[in-house]
Amino acid sequence: GEDVEQSLFLSVREGDSSVINCTYTDSSSTYLYWYKQEPGAGLQLLTYIFSNMDMKQDQRLTVLLNKKDKHLSLRIADTQTGDSAIYFCAESMAGGSYIPTFGRGTSLIVHP
Amino acid sequence: GAGVSQSPSNKVTEKGKDVELRCDPISGHTALYWYRQSLGQGLEFLIYFQGNSAPDKSGLPSDRFSAERTGGSVSTLTIQRTQQEDSAVYLCASSFSGNVFGELFFGEGSRLTVL
């Protein structure tokens, strides 16, 4: 079955880079996502990567995908206090119903 | 508003009572999802609707849980005879279509506390 694993906490200093890691088990995953949840709010899609890609960059965000190891990472450059949130990794397969499987979420705490 | 709306935002109930949670998706979104977020457990998939039908109910934890969707729009999640382990935040999301890649838009959730 599908399983997505993430570490629960990450603490960084403002201005440093943050790297949030995720592993998944389903080799047929087609799309992999990062969602962000700010306190008291619902999840919001931050970025995604298609399984035939190795890297995707979007401003301060860099997503790296290692299909062999089934490892996904999200790097946030120049981390700001406003980046403090819970980050969820998720996967899904194309075809059939699209039901993302989410990890437990990584709480990112940014210290000034 | 244009986003996914959920009500109530907070619900405190006594063990054994029934509760109803409502989700109003973004207009035009055909797919609707219910997830449950418990402390340290991440997001647990409950049920998925495509239009008014629910092709996947596999995540409902017991027969005390049911959901319906009417008019291809509003959905209601009903929990009968609530138990303390039902305490969680219930999140609803919608997307334009459930059959191809589509960004999920989440509501702010309904926090359920069962005493």
Side-chain angles (χ1 to χ4, degrees), chain A residues 11-99:
Chain A
S11 179
V12 300
R13 192 183 301 273
E14 188 175 21
D16 288 349
S17 292
S18 307
V19 179
I20 302 172
N21 295 299
C22 167
T23 58
Y24 59 97
T25 58
D26 197 327
S27 58
S28 56
S29 293
T30 306
Y31 294 105
L32 295 127
Y33 315 85
W34 286 103
Y35 278 79
K36 178 183 180 182
Q37 184 182 32
E38 296 182 353
L43 280 71
Q44 188 170 22
L45 181 66
L46 201 57
T47 187
Y48 68 93
I49 190 166
F50 192 61
S51 61
N52 66 354
M53 299 167 64
D54 297 322
M55 186 183 87
K56 180 177 181 181
Q57 187 151 3
D58 183 2
Q59 299 182 338
R60 292 189 298 121
L61 305 178
T62 302
V63 179
L64 294 177
L65 175 61
N66 181 329
K67 289 185 287 293
K68 174 176 173 290
D69 295 337
K70 300 193 187 97
H71 182 267
L72 182 75
S73 68
L74 173 69
R75 178 176 181 271
I76 305 173
D78 187 25
T79 312
Q80 303 297 306
T81 54
D83 294 324
S84 294
I86 303 175
Y87 291 81
F88 289 90
C89 173
E91 62 170 356
S92 70
M93 290 179 285
S97 62
Y98 164 86
I99 302 175

Side-chain angles (χ1 to χ4, degrees), chain B residues 54-66:
Chain B
D56 192 333
K57 301 180 182 180
S58 62
L60 294 177
S62 75
D63 58 8
R64 296 186 296 104
F65 287 72
S66 63

Side-chain angles (χ1 to χ4, degrees), chain B residues 62-104:
Chain B
S62 75
D63 58 8
R64 296 186 296 104
F65 287 72
S66 63
E68 64 175 13
R69 188 180 186 194
T70 55
S73 181
V74 173
S75 176
T76 303
L77 177 69
T78 301
I79 309 172
Q80 295 178 308
R81 305 181 302 282
T82 51
Q83 303 295 311
Q84 287 182 334
E85 62 261 28
D86 299 334
S87 296
V89 177
Y90 290 81
L91 292 169
C92 175
S94 68
S95 71
F96 184 69
S97 170
N99 290 330
V100 294
F101 170 79
E103 177 180 353
L104 264 63

Side-chain angles (χ1 to χ4, degrees), chain B residues 28-49:
Chain B
H29 280 191
T30 59
L32 186 147
Y33 311 77
W34 284 98
Y35 286 87
R36 178 167 71 174
Q37 184 177 22
S38 304
L39 192 63
Q41 296 299 313
L43 267 65
E44 176 188 4
F45 169 73
L46 298 179
I47 189 168
Y48 154 74
F49 287 92

